[in-house]
Amino acid sequence: MTDRWKTEDIIFDSLFEADVWADSIANEMYARLYDGYDTCDYKIAYALAFRLAAIEEFKVITENTPEDRYKVGSYLLRTEEYFNNARQGEWGVKNLRKRHTKFLKYFLILFVLCILSNIIFKDNLNVLTAFSVALGVSLGIAYLSPYFIEE
């Protein structure tokens, strides 16, 4: 497969203009119309490199040639490599397993405590109330607490 590079000699006055331009080029590269971009304006190359680096499936390569040309290329990560990188993230397999275990522990403890408090303080047994309280609190602790408390 041959590499498709887009070459342009446009030079912008501001980084904002270059960033707007780089955004459109990043969209074209994401659509796989081009594998790389060659420019003489460092502002476009700078903005494009950061735009492409924000896309998780892309690996970005930059090069500055002796002729003062700036090249920004990208390629898609292989599917296994992408998913291996994704597993390291917050919702990775290991973290989900930890959260599921945490949820089950809290749910069982809270459910038993709610049933016991119903037996001690009430004359009837409210299993549905105990279940819903235990479910809501344990879901909140296991799945929402990482957003509020750093573990």
Side-chain angles (χ1 to χ4, degrees), residues 56 79-97:
E56 291 181 15
T79 307
E80 309 89 39
E81 188 177 349
Y82 173 68
F83 285 117
N84 286 338
N85 290 341
R87 282 191 193 121
Q88 310 303 323
E90 182 177 335
W91 288 97
V93 173
K94 291 179 183 176
N95 284 336
L96 278 179
R97 199 168 286 141

Side-chain angles (χ1 to χ4, degrees), residues 21-40:
W21 186 263
D23 184 39
S24 66
I25 298 299
N27 288 332
E28 292 174 354
M29 290 177 74
Y30 186 76
R32 305 307 296 154
L33 297 176
Y34 307 111
D35 296 319
Y37 186 74
D38 184 359
T39 182
C40 59

Side-chain angles (χ1 to χ4, degrees), residues 96-134:
L96 278 179
R97 199 168 286 141
K98 278 186 199 176
R99 288 183 185 181
H100 291 334
T101 306
K102 188 176 184 179
F103 164 75
L104 286 175
K105 287 179 186 176
Y106 277 105
F107 177 76
L108 290 174
I109 291 169
L110 290 171
F111 185 68
V112 168
L113 287 175
C114 286
I115 292 292
L116 288 175
S117 65
N118 268 334
I119 291 172
I120 293 171
F121 298 112
K122 302 266 184 173
D123 53 351
N124 59 348
L125 190 63
N126 293 325
V127 177
L128 187 60
T129 303
F131 178 81
S132 62
V133 167

Side-chain angles (χ1 to χ4, degrees), residues 1-87:
M1 182 175 149
T2 61
D3 288 340
R4 297 160 299 190
W5 284 74
K6 184 172 187 173
T7 304
E8 291 182 321
D9 292 326
I10 298 171
I11 297 177
F12 289 104
D13 294 330
S14 70
L15 186 59
F16 176 76
E17 293 171 326
D19 186 47
V20 171
W21 186 263
D23 184 39
S24 66
I25 298 299
N27 288 332
E28 292 174 354
M29 290 177 74
Y30 186 76
R32 305 307 296 154
L33 297 176
Y34 307 111
D35 296 319
Y37 186 74
D38 184 359
T39 182
C40 59
D41 189 1
Y42 71 91
K43 295 181 291 293
I44 297 173
Y46 169 82
L48 181 60
F50 277 97
R51 291 261 180 197
L52 292 175
I55 302 170
E56 291 181 15
E57 308 90 53
F58 274 174
K59 187 78 166 180
V60 181
I61 303 165
T62 59
E63 180 184 349
N64 185 4
T65 63
E67 302 87 31
D68 282 334
R69 305 279 307 169
Y70 302 92
K71 294 183 177 185
V72 179
S74 68
Y75 64 92
L76 282 171
L77 294 174
R78 291 193 331 264
T79 307
E80 309 89 39
E81 188 177 349
Y82 173 68
F83 285 117
N84 286 338
N85 290 341
R87 282 191 193 121

